């Protein structure tokens, strides 16, 4: 676990400090006109694996994945289903602890938060883009048969 933390700490701190893809960070005086923007996402799906605690003791983060799917019909009448996987990160202390303790693989969940983009350098030095949902709220659902 300690080895994993040492490897992930620079990645996570770098991810938090990176501007979104195509975004710029400025430190100039406040703009004359402040424009309202919105970055919200809501997903409803199933948890792909039990949440994991990552990061360092100073900057802990819980990560988990959520699967959502879309059903569609081909012109010949056949049905197909496409599954999308979403990476969710939780920084809020109370929410982080609750997710880690109670959210389990296969459980239905709804996540509300904001989407963020960044780059991660792997062990071979290759840069990969990363897309994550930073959770503001996570709702837990129990199946009817549980």
């Amino acid at each position: 676990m300690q080895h994993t933390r040492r490897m992930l700490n620079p990645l996570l701190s770098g991810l938090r400090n990176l501007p979104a893809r195509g975004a710029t960070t400025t430190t100039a005086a406040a703009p004359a006109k402040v424009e309202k923007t919105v970055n919200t996402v809501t997903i409803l799906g199933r948890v792909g694996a039990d949440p994991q605690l990552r990061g360092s003791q100073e900057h802990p983060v819980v990560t988990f994945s959520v699967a959502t799917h879309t059903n569609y019909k081909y012109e010949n009448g056949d049905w197909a289903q496409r599954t999308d996987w979403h990476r969710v990160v939780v920084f809020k202390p109370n929410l982080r602890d609750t997710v880690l303790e109670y959210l389990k693989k296969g459980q239905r969940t709804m996540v509300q938060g904001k989407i963020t983009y960044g780059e991660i350098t792997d062990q071979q030095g290759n840069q990969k883009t990363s897309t994550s949902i930073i959770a503001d709220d996570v709702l837990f659902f129990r199946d009817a048969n549980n």
Side-chain angles (χ1 to χ4, degrees), residues 19-82:
R21 188 177 359 173
T24 58
T25 304
T26 60
T27 57
K33 179 179 177 184
V34 177
E35 185 174 85
K36 172 80 174 156
T37 63
V38 177
N39 177 0
T40 59
V41 62
T42 302
I43 58 171
L44 173 65
R46 297 236 176 230
V47 178
D50 287 348
Q52 295 182 351
L53 179 62
R54 298 190 172 182
S56 64
Q57 263 189 322
E58 299 83 31
H59 302 288
V61 61
V62 167
T63 64
F64 63 97
S65 60
V66 175
T68 60
H69 67 268
T70 304
N71 296 317
Y72 56 95
K73 189 175 183 180
Y74 288 109
E75 289 181 10
N76 66 5
D78 291 343
W79 283 91
Q81 185 178 76
R82 174 193 162 116

Side-chain angles (χ1 to χ4, degrees), residues 5-143:
R5 283 188 183 155
R6 275 190 308 225
M7 288 177 17
L8 290 176
N9 194 25
L11 297 177
L12 291 173
S13 64
L15 183 60
R16 278 192 288 271
N17 296 329
L18 281 177
R21 188 177 359 173
T24 58
T25 304
T26 60
T27 57
K33 179 179 177 184
V34 177
E35 185 174 85
K36 172 80 174 156
T37 63
V38 177
N39 177 0
T40 59
V41 62
T42 302
I43 58 171
L44 173 65
R46 297 236 176 230
V47 178
D50 287 348
Q52 295 182 351
L53 179 62
R54 298 190 172 182
S56 64
Q57 263 189 322
E58 299 83 31
H59 302 288
V61 61
V62 167
T63 64
F64 63 97
S65 60
V66 175
T68 60
H69 67 268
T70 304
N71 296 317
Y72 56 95
K73 189 175 183 180
Y74 288 109
E75 289 181 10
N76 66 5
D78 291 343
W79 283 91
Q81 185 178 76
R82 174 193 162 116
T83 302
D84 292 309
W85 288 94
H86 311 274
R87 181 176 187 265
V88 180
V89 294
V90 185
F91 293 105
K92 289 183 172 181
N94 292 337
L95 183 59
R96 182 182 61 227
D97 297 340
T98 303
V99 165
L100 190 59
E101 185 172 348
Y102 295 107
L103 194 63
K104 301 297 177 206
K105 177 181 178 177
Q107 190 173 3
R108 198 160 157 87
T109 187
M110 184 167 78
V111 177
Q112 295 177 319
K114 55 184 161 260
I115 197 159
T116 186
Y117 304 95
E119 289 183 347
I120 295 176
T121 305
D122 65 15
Q123 292 176 338
Q124 290 76 31
N126 302 320
Q127 291 215 334
K128 298 180 178 182
T129 58
S130 169
T131 304
S132 300
I133 297 170
I134 300 175
D136 289 325
D137 199 11
V138 178
L139 302 178
F140 301 73
F141 297 95
R142 286 189 354 190
D143 290 327

